């Protein structure tokens, strides 16, 4: 795998490559292999949700190659990715697909390459992805799947020599520049320093080799300078900046990167005077945050703006924030009715969670209460520190270090986030500052998520109250139904269905769609369903049921329109009578699997014309006949003709197994139910007539044919 991956990066001419593998649940992509950049750079992107608006996630979600040819295109199409990757570059994300989707391959080029991709390049990348998929499948056959959550491995692409000694580093440097000063490897360590560079930097070679510039040269310890280095590594383009070596030595520093490292040329500028320090300014005592940490914080902040529910916040903190700070445990609690209710944990036993759940807000058992009450984070580097103030807490959790982060927004307590460690952990000033800032973002995200969950529960409860909890049993009729809410808005809509028993020899099926998917649509849906039910129970013909319901809606004047399909099943006469108010036609499937839409001339939508007429359509009710009623959310796809969508659904229904109607319904909904975004809600009702139909084990056998003389008629 490592060899094939490295060959894919080298063969496509990419400067950086990454292989992401899909987690077993299909919701998360894990970075498995990296080439051309240090692992530290990839930390913000080590785990990418499949639903994220990022190129690598889109490639997996939509099973297509995603090409981004420039920084401007990145900003237009993927603004969140552009915010945390603000470098001139081009990239492609391609799905790794074989017998199933395994993950995706990410390739990055400098912005100097043409901002387009040829068909030949596209085919070459797709071929590489198929090869990677075959290797993954062979690995499964040989003894088990590759662990998508395993340790990230950085592999060499095989381009250029590796700088393993000062002599080889000097040779690499000589190839890159006509006259050199020093060289860095891709992780930023000095690998070669000339005598002139030592003089300008004010250090001997032995003091610099193997160190990072911002560690061995304190005057370079500034996120701005580290960012220039990151820009050189990621963009593979020359970068320049000016720095002041105290007290007044201004230097121009030029970085020239390639696949083996970075050549650095340092020349004195002598043109810029040093700035005059403010009088009486206190000495700087806090180490500035590393650029990598700042980028990580930016990435996490962007991710927190996109979470929806409380569980999303828990998953984000667990999947991205915990690894970013090296934590092994998480407890996320919310303030509710004077208690701290645990909403999510990682790395704790159920017994420990039960002991820590529902503590009072002013608890003295752990630091959580004091942190939330004071609004001041609490950090404990080892059990001894914790034990001095909270003697029982270390024994309960078994952890060795803790960060208690109060979650407060607009002066209002939301909850507490606790990160814990299995070994003692010294919290540097930089880390404390970043965690404190992050706590505010988590608080806002959690507060929004709780509000969303409350609205979602309200909407779900209202929807359940308006739709039938169970459908009535009708002798000789098999029934299955589903409702899927839209993923936009309040997860509530106006789609409805119903089955009405009309004595022992008849039944009615109705399906409809009120315009919109909000509370108003749901309320009108309840009124329409009640009106249809009331008229149907009186034995009213289908056209009259729709006419009377139409006049009811016009009288209510809700400002919304409704489509509706009403079907009367007469088992005595073996007839099906249908009337439609602008609703998509039902699908009919015969026992021989012949499937087609029923031609039902539609009348106008309900709520428009008080004198509307709804034509009737009759079809025979034969044994084994199956009818599928649906709303337009199941068939409407942007850019696809409606008739083509209905034909595709009919083809799908013809191939479906009807032995279990619930499984058949799941099969028909399979494509849309797995989609992350549904712009419209969906209702689906399937009926099958079993009256007069012989059991499955009695059909097709000559001896059974002889037992039933009526078959000879």
């Amino acid at each position: 795998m490592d060899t094939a991956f490295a060959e894919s990066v080298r063969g496509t001419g990419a400067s950086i490559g990454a292989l992401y593998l899909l987690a077993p649940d299909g919701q998360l992509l894990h970075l498995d292999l990296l080439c051309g950049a240090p692992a530290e750079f990839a930390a913000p992107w080590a785990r990418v949700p499949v639903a994220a608006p990022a190129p690598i996630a889109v490639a997996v979600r939509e099973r297509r190659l995603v090409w981004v040819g420039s920084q401007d295109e990145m900003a237009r199409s993927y603004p969140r990715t552009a915010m945390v990757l603000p470098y001139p570059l081009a990239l492609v994300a391609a799905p790794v697909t074989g017998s199933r989707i395994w993950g995706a391959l990410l390739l990055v080029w400098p912005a100097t390459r043409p901002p387009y991709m040829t068909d030949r390049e596209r085919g070459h990348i797709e071929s590489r992805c198929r090869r990677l998929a075959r290797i993954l499948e062979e690995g499964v056959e040989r003894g088990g799947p590759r662990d998508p959550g395993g340790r990230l491995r950085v592999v060499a692409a095989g381009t250029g020599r590796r700088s393993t000694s000062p002599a080889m580093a000097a040779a690499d440097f000589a190839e890159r520049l006509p006259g050199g000063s020093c060289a860095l490897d891709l992780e930023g360590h000095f690998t070669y320093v000339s005598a002139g560079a030592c003089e300008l930097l004010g250090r001997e070679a032995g003091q610099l080799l193997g160190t990072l510039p911002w560690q061995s040269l304190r005057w370079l310890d500034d996120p701005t300078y580290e960012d220039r280095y990151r820009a050189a590594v990621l963009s593979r383009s020359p970068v320049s900046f000016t720095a002041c070596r105290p007290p007044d030595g201004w230097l121009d520093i030029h970085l020239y990167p390639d696949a083996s490292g970075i050549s650095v040329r340092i020349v004195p500028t002598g043109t810029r005077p040093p700035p005059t320090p403010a009088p009486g300014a206190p000495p700087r005592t806090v180490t500035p945050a590393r650029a990598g940490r700042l980028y990580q914080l930016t990435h996490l902040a962007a991710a927190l703006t996109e979470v929806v529910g409380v569980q999303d916040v828990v998953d984000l903190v667990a999947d991205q924030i915990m690894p970013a700070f090296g934590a092994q445990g998480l407890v996320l609690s919310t303030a509710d009715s004077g208690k701290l209710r645990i909403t999510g944990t990682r790395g704790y036993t159920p017994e420990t969670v039960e002991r820590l759940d529902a503590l009072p807000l002013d608890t003295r058992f752990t630091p959580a209460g004091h942190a939330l009450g004071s609004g001041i984070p609490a950090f404990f580097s080892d059990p001894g520190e914790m034990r001095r103030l909270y003697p029982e807490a270390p024994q309960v959790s078994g952890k060795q270090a803790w960060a208690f982060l109060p979650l407060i927004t607009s002066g209002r307590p939301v909850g507490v986030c606790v990160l814990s460690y299995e070994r003692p952990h010294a919290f540097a000033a930089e880390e404390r500052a970043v965690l404190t800032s992050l706590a505010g973002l988590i608080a806002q995200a959690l507060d929004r998520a709780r509000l969303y969950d409350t609205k979602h529960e309200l909407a779900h409860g209202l929807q359940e109250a308006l739709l039938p909890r169970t459908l009535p049993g009708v002798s000789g009729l098999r029934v299955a139904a589903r409702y899927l809410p839209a993923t936009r808005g309040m997860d509530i809509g106006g789609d409805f269905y119903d089955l009405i028993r009309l004595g022992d020899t008849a039944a009615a099926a109705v399906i409809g769609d009120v315009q919109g998917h909000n509370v108003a649509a749901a309320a009108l849906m309840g009124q329409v369903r009640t009106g249809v039910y009331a008229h149907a129970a009186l034995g009213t013909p289908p056209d009259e049921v729709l006419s009377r319901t139409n006049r009811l809606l016009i009288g209510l004047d809700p400002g919304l329109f409704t489509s509706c399909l009403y079907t009367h099943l007469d088992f005595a006469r073996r007839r099906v009578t249908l009337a439609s108010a602008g609703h998509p036609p039902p699908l009919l499937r015969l026992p021989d699997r012949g499937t087609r839409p029923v031609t039902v001339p539609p009348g106008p939508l309900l709520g428009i014309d008080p004198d509307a007429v709804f034509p009737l359509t009759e079809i025979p009710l034969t044994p084994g006949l199956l009818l599928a009623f649906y709303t337009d959310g199941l068939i409407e796809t942007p850019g696809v003709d409606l008739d083509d969508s209905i034909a595709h659904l009919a083809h799908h229904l013809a191939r479906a197994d009807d032995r279990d109607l619930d499984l058949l319904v799941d099969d028909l909904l399979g494509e849309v139910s797995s989609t992350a975004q549904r712009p419209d809600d969906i209702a689906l009702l399937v009926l099958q007539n079993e009256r007069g139909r012989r059991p499955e084990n009695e059909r097709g056998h000559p001896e059974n044919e002889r037992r039933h003389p009526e078959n000879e008629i």
Side-chain angles (χ1 to χ4, degrees):
M1 172 57 72
D2 291 5
T3 302
F5 169 67
E7 289 176 354
S8 299
V9 178
R10 184 174 62 251
T12 55
S15 56
I16 297 174
L19 177 65
Y20 284 83
L21 296 182
L22 191 62
D25 61 3
Q27 302 301 312
L28 204 63
L29 287 163
H30 293 269
L31 180 56
D32 186 64
L33 296 174
L34 180 66
C35 176
E40 179 191 357
F41 282 17
W45 303 282
R47 294 170 180 82
V48 179
V50 173
I56 196 75
V58 172
V60 171
R61 195 165 62 240
E62 300 182 4
R63 309 292 201 271
R64 66 178 178 89
L65 185 144
V66 176
W67 163 253
V68 181
S70 66
Q71 192 174 10
D72 290 341
E73 185 178 347
M74 180 77 80
R76 286 193 303 270
S77 303
Y78 304 99
R80 174 178 152 185
T81 304
M83 181 171 62
V84 295
L85 199 66
Y87 305 115
L89 47 80
L91 64 81
V92 69
V96 176
T97 307
S99 59
R100 66 177 177 86
I101 184 76
W102 291 94
L105 176 67
L106 179 69
L107 300 170
V108 181
W109 292 268
T112 52
R113 68 151 287 152
Y116 57 85
M117 174 164 286
T118 66
D119 291 340
R120 183 176 180 181
E121 286 178 302
R122 181 183 295 268
H124 184 57
I125 292 171
E126 291 173 346
S127 174
R128 295 284 182 176
C129 289
R130 287 194 294 270
R131 183 185 177 196
L132 293 172
R134 284 196 301 271
I135 293 173
L136 288 167
E137 289 166 1
E138 290 168 1
V140 172
E141 294 173 359
R142 285 195 299 266
R146 192 181 184 91
D147 180 13
R151 184 180 179 85
L152 168 65
R153 294 203 311 282
V154 179
V155 300
T159 57
R161 298 187 301 275
R162 291 187 61 82
S163 302
T164 56
S165 70
M168 291 181 64
D172 287 338
F173 177 78
E175 292 177 3
R176 289 189 290 265
L177 292 175
S181 318
C182 59
L184 307 175
D185 61 21
L186 288 178
E187 295 185 354
H189 301 94
F190 281 109
T191 56
Y192 170 77
V193 186
S194 67
C198 291
E199 183 178 351
L200 288 172
L201 298 176
R203 289 285 190 277
E204 295 181 2
Q207 297 174 303
L208 297 175
L209 290 175
T211 68
L212 298 171
W214 41 89
Q215 291 179 350
S216 52
L217 301 169
R218 302 305 296 173
W219 46 276
L220 285 178
D221 188 12
D222 189 291
T224 303
Y225 303 142
E226 188 184 350
D227 177 66
R228 297 294 79 206
Y229 151 72
R230 294 171 66 92
V233 173
L234 293 176
S235 69
R236 293 291 200 266
S237 299
V239 173
S240 302
F241 61 92
T242 302
C244 178
R245 174 195 161 190
D248 54 4
W250 285 92
L251 302 174
D252 288 337
I253 301 176
H254 305 269
L255 309 180
Y256 299 90
D258 77 352
S260 64
I262 302 175
S263 294
V264 184
R265 186 175 184 185
I266 307 171
V267 294
T269 179
T271 57
R272 286 183 59 181
T276 303
R284 189 175 185 177
T285 58
V286 178
T287 303
R290 294 266 57 81
R293 183 71 81 187
L294 293 177
Y295 276 103
Q296 204 162 46
L297 179 60
T298 304
H299 175 78
L300 295 172
L304 282 167
T305 63
E306 297 180 355
V307 294
V308 178
V310 171
Q311 189 57 47
D312 296 332
V313 177
V314 174
D315 292 341
L316 178 68
V317 175
D319 295 336
Q320 299 195 37
I321 295 178
M322 277 178 60
F325 293 89
Q328 292 83 41
L330 164 71
V331 175
L332 189 64
S333 303
T334 56
D336 182 17
S337 302
K339 295 183 180 297
L340 282 171
R341 306 283 183 182
I342 294 180
T343 57
T345 66
R346 294 291 191 278
Y348 285 84
T349 64
E351 294 76 17
T352 302
V353 173
E354 184 179 359
R355 179 68 181 86
L356 298 175
D357 193 18
L359 293 174
L361 292 182
D362 58 352
T363 179
R364 294 293 299 170
F365 181 70
T366 75
H370 181 264
L372 187 60
S374 65
I376 301 174
F379 300 91
F380 299 87
S381 300
D382 56 63
E385 287 187 26
M386 174 75 81
R387 198 175 294 112
R388 281 193 290 271
L389 297 175
Y390 304 91
E392 297 179 74
Q395 286 78 17
V396 172
S397 70
K399 304 298 182 182
Q400 301 293 304
W402 302 263
F404 288 82
L405 308 175
L407 306 180
I408 298 173
T409 179
S410 302
R412 183 168 46 84
V414 175
V416 176
C417 178
V418 183
L419 297 179
S420 58
Y421 298 78
E422 295 178 354
R423 295 176 181 171
H425 179 86
F427 295 93
E430 170 194 330
E431 189 173 24
R432 295 181 184 220
V434 173
L435 283 171
T436 301
S437 300
L438 200 56
L441 300 175
I442 297 173
Q444 294 179 27
L446 186 60
D447 196 39
R448 291 194 310 271
R450 292 174 67 190
L451 179 60
Y452 172 85
D453 283 351
T454 300
K455 290 182 177 179
H456 179 76
E457 289 173 7
L458 173 63
H460 185 68
L462 178 59
Q463 191 79 54
E464 284 192 336
L466 294 174
L467 287 172
R469 291 190 177 184
T470 59
L471 295 175
V474 177
S475 177
L477 193 66
R478 300 171 63 208
V479 184
R482 292 287 188 282
Y483 174 81
L484 294 180
T487 55
R488 299 175 186 172
M490 287 186 64
D491 285 358
I492 190 172
D495 287 15
F496 66 96
Y497 59 84
D498 209 345
L499 181 67
I500 307 167
R501 185 178 179 185
L502 303 174
D504 295 331
T505 61
V510 60
I511 192 164
D513 183 358
V514 178
Q515 173 189 358
H517 36 87
N518 49 34
V519 173
L524 181 59
M525 177 264 280
Q527 293 172 318
V528 173
R529 179 171 169 251
T530 301
V532 169
Y533 194 100
H535 295 306
L538 297 174
T540 309
D543 55 341
E544 277 300 307
V545 170
L546 293 184
S547 295
R548 295 179 185 183
T549 306
N550 178 50
R551 290 192 290 271
L552 170 67
L553 293 189
I554 291 174
L556 293 173
D557 191 21
L560 299 173
F561 306 128
T562 303
S563 73
C564 187
L565 177 66
Y566 184 90
T567 304
H568 183 268
L569 298 98
D570 189 334
F571 299 106
R573 295 178 54 240
R574 297 186 179 182
R575 305 297 295 174
V576 178
T577 308
L578 306 99
S580 172
H583 199 82
L587 297 179
L588 177 151
R589 191 177 103 162
L590 299 173
D592 63 359
R593 292 182 178 261
T595 306
R596 61 176 175 82
V598 181
T599 302
V600 183
L605 297 171
L606 303 180
I608 297 178
D609 180 7
D611 300 318
V613 176
F614 303 95
L616 293 175
T617 300
E618 278 199 1
I619 59 174
L621 181 58
T622 57
L625 176 74
L626 185 146
L627 289 169
F629 308 92
Y630 52 91
T631 55
D632 56 10
L634 182 61
I635 56 173
E636 284 189 343
T637 303
V640 179
D641 183 77
L642 201 59
D643 290 338
D644 292 340
S645 295
I646 294 174
H648 174 73
L649 182 62
H651 179 67
H652 195 166
L653 177 60
R655 293 183 290 108
D657 188 344
D658 66 349
R659 287 177 294 182
D660 187 326
L661 289 191
D662 285 313
L663 294 179
L664 182 144
V665 168
D666 291 339
D667 187 15
L668 294 180
L669 293 173
E671 295 181 12
V672 292
S673 61
S674 61
T675 304
Q677 296 293 329
R678 286 190 302 274
D680 199 2
D681 46 345
I682 298 170
L684 177 61
L685 175 64
V686 176
L687 312 176
Q688 187 172 40
N689 178 31
E690 289 289 285
R691 294 198 182 192
R693 188 181 187 186
R694 282 171 293 147
E696 194 74 28
N697 60 0
E698 291 186 8
R699 278 182 269 149
H701 297 284
E703 60 273 19
N704 291 329
E705 296 293 332
R706 288 194 293 271
R707 288 197 192 107
H708 298 276
E710 67 270 22
N711 291 327
E712 300 175 5
I713 298 175

